[in-house]
Amino acid sequence: QEGADAIKEIIKNNNSAGGNRVDFIDLNCGCPIYEVTRRGLGSSLLRSPAKLHKLVKGLVENASDIPITVKIRLGCETDTINCLENVKAIREAGAMAVTIHGRTAQQGYSRNADYDLIKMAVEESKNEQYDHVPIIGNGDILTHYEARRRMSETGVHSVMVGRGALIKPWVFKEFRDNNTWEPDIMERVEIYRTLAMYMKDHFGDDEMGRKKSWNFLPWHFEFLSRYTTSHPEDEFGEQSLLKPLIQTRVVQPDGLSPLETLLANRSVDAHNKIASMLWESNSNADALNKLSTFSESHEFNDILKNGSADEKEDKVLTNLPSNKKGKVGRWEKRRGRKPGPKRTDEEIAQIRADRAAKKERILAEGGIWPPSQVRKERQVQ
């Protein structure tokens, strides 16, 4: 996920002999995180289709043979949905593919993804002879059958999976096999440990590598802990027609084993302990043993009683601005200066006349206009 300036650096690197080669560049205009949008990046780029067109066209023209793709949302604010305009701007700028998340940035994950509007974008692209530019649907995909149904209903070329892959990373295996996979507890521990080992390989097996990994590894268990079932189609197919399964709050069943209770715990304290045991384990069996022992310990019982859990659904992905009362989900544009009193038309006309008279006087006296040019010349001297 890169800002525009960083993307230009990637293009520069790939056009040079020693650059790190990438297969394609994806401009993320879907990020709703407030720290990104308030700086004019992420989904705030959707506010102006003309500006977005110019940006994408510039990337395409300067990227040599590197394909440019773009990910967007329905819009930035809910009252200014402009998905169709942005898709048109992107494809005419030369992008190779467009991914559409079926919600606005303001909505976060508070509503179901709108695939009807995504379908309209697909149909419009076909009508305007742009069906060679793939449109990818995104939002509320948790199972292989929901993915196939969305593709069939909307005509998108494919679907992108976000939160669903964070909850159960094997959703891609299910789609490939066209079958639901219910991993047992040992298989889940193996998958989770694989993630820890990938981070250890990437960041390093030392204190600094661990410190860097801890920006990500415990965080992943905010999602992995939500797993309850892989939702077999014969049990959950009809329910998924009424409401996306990922949008349905699932209560953990009674009678879970201590280890299952640990893996389902939403406490940050538990997530840090799980991450530590996976990191320090010598094998999958060792990880299973460490986790099982901890799940029956007094320390975990204390976490069950006193651990802090963030129950605000998907706040970790949206980070939407809050109002003074701390209510999450309100959206405000970046705060600027407090505006002064509005001038009348007569006052504006008088200001312009005064400026014109000042300009005429300075030029008549042999001066330089505008005055800012004088400062520039002094700086050069």
Side-chain angles (χ1 to χ4, degrees):
Q1 182 177 327
E2 302 279 0
D5 290 340
I7 287 178
K8 291 177 182 177
E9 285 299 314
I10 295 175
I11 294 173
K12 180 180 177 181
N13 290 339
N14 278 272
N15 287 339
S16 64
N20 295 316
R21 182 70 188 176
V22 297
D23 295 320
F24 68 98
I25 296 173
D26 184 56
L27 178 63
N28 189 347
C29 303
C31 181
I33 295 177
Y34 187 53
E35 288 303 309
V36 174
T37 59
R38 75 180 184 86
R39 293 185 288 120
L41 303 174
S43 55
S44 67
L45 290 168
L46 303 177
R47 290 176 176 146
S48 173
K51 181 179 178 180
L52 181 58
H53 172 87
K54 184 178 180 180
L55 173 60
V56 175
K57 186 176 181 180
L59 294 175
V60 170
E61 291 175 348
N62 289 279
S64 184
D65 59 338
I66 306 172
I68 302 295
T69 64
V70 186
K71 184 175 187 289
I72 68 172
R73 285 176 172 257
L74 300 185
C76 192
E77 286 78 28
T78 305
D79 59 353
T80 55
I81 291 176
N82 57 355
C83 168
L84 300 181
E85 293 88 338
N86 278 314
V87 171
K88 178 180 174 67
I90 292 166
R91 70 186 181 221
E92 291 182 355
M96 300 298 290
V98 184
T99 300
I100 307 173
H101 180 87
R103 280 177 283 250
T104 66
Q106 183 182 13
Q107 288 170 342
Y109 296 95
S110 61
R111 297 185 182 182
N112 298 341
D114 184 353
Y115 275 85
D116 290 336
L117 199 49
I118 295 176
K119 181 180 180 179
M120 289 176 61
V122 173
E123 293 175 345
E124 184 177 277
S125 291
K126 289 181 178 178
N127 292 338
E128 296 189 12
Q129 307 302 313
Y130 275 96
D131 53 331
H132 61 282
V133 179
I135 292 183
I136 303 161
N138 174 234
D140 297 344
I141 302 295
L142 184 62
T143 64
H144 66 93
Y145 51 88
E146 286 176 301
R148 294 187 190 281
R149 184 170 70 242
R150 293 303 190 186
M151 292 174 66
S152 174
E153 291 175 347
T154 63
V156 293
H157 293 73
S158 60
V159 291
M160 179 180 289
V161 186
R163 290 178 299 159
L166 290 171
I167 294 171
K168 54 174 211 178
W170 50 92
V171 65
F172 306 104
K173 166 183 167 60
E174 293 184 335
F175 186 86
R176 182 195 65 193
D177 299 341
N178 197 27
N179 191 36
T180 302
W181 183 52
E182 292 274 10
D184 59 30
I185 196 75
M186 180 63 190
E187 289 170 321
R188 287 170 58 198
V189 170
E190 289 178 4
I191 292 170
Y192 301 162
R193 183 172 178 270
T194 298
L195 174 63
M197 294 303 101
Y198 283 157
M199 291 193 182
K200 182 179 285 191
D201 290 341
H202 181 74
F203 292 112
D205 187 9
D206 55 17
E207 192 58 35
M208 181 57 71
R210 181 182 178 120
K211 184 177 180 180
K212 291 180 178 179
S213 297
W214 249 245
N215 291 318
F216 310 101
L217 187 55
W219 175 87
H220 273 278
F221 285 93
E222 163 61 23
F223 294 92
L224 296 171
S225 62
R226 301 180 194 183
Y227 175 76
T228 55
T229 172
S230 284
H231 298 90
E233 187 172 8
D234 56 349
E235 294 182 36
F236 294 91
E238 289 190 14
Q239 181 181 335
S240 71
L241 294 171
L242 302 175
K243 186 176 183 179
L245 296 176
I246 201 169
Q247 294 290 85
T248 304
R249 187 177 293 276
V250 179
V251 179
Q252 292 287 352
D254 296 328
L256 292 178
S257 69
L259 180 53
E260 289 172 326
T261 301
L262 171 61
L263 295 181
N265 192 274
R266 298 290 295 275
S267 168
V268 175
D269 301 322
H271 299 165
N272 274 300
K273 294 298 295 187
I274 293 170
S276 293
M277 286 178 279
L278 293 172
W279 183 273
E280 296 164 2
S281 61
N282 299 319
S283 64
N284 293 331
D286 184 39
L288 183 65
N289 181 60
K290 280 181 165 65
L291 292 168
S292 297
T293 301
F294 179 76
S295 69
E296 300 182 41
S297 68
H298 292 298
E299 185 177 357
F300 181 52
N301 281 331
D302 290 340
I303 291 177
L304 288 174
K305 294 177 183 178
N306 307 312
S308 59
D310 187 358
E311 297 295 338
K312 294 175 182 177
E313 198 75 12
D314 299 325
K315 179 184 176 183
V316 289
L317 284 182
T318 55
N319 189 26
L320 293 175
S322 304
N323 61 15
K324 293 180 180 179
K325 296 181 180 179
K327 184 177 179 182
V328 176
R330 292 184 60 82
W331 189 272
E332 299 174 3
K333 294 184 178 180
R334 185 175 184 179
R335 184 179 300 171
R337 296 179 181 176
K338 186 176 181 180
K342 188 175 182 180
R343 294 188 174 96
T344 64
D345 292 341
E346 292 77 9
E347 289 174 327
I348 294 173
Q350 185 60 49
I351 290 172
R352 289 175 175 170
D354 292 343
R355 286 177 178 171
K358 181 179 180 181
K359 176 181 178 181
E360 184 178 356
R361 176 177 57 80
I362 290 175
L363 293 176
E365 294 173 353
I368 297 175
W369 187 268
S372 59
Q373 188 64 32
V374 177
R375 291 193 295 270
K376 289 181 180 179
E377 291 184 2
R378 286 175 179 171
Q379 289 173 356
V380 172
Q381 293 173 357

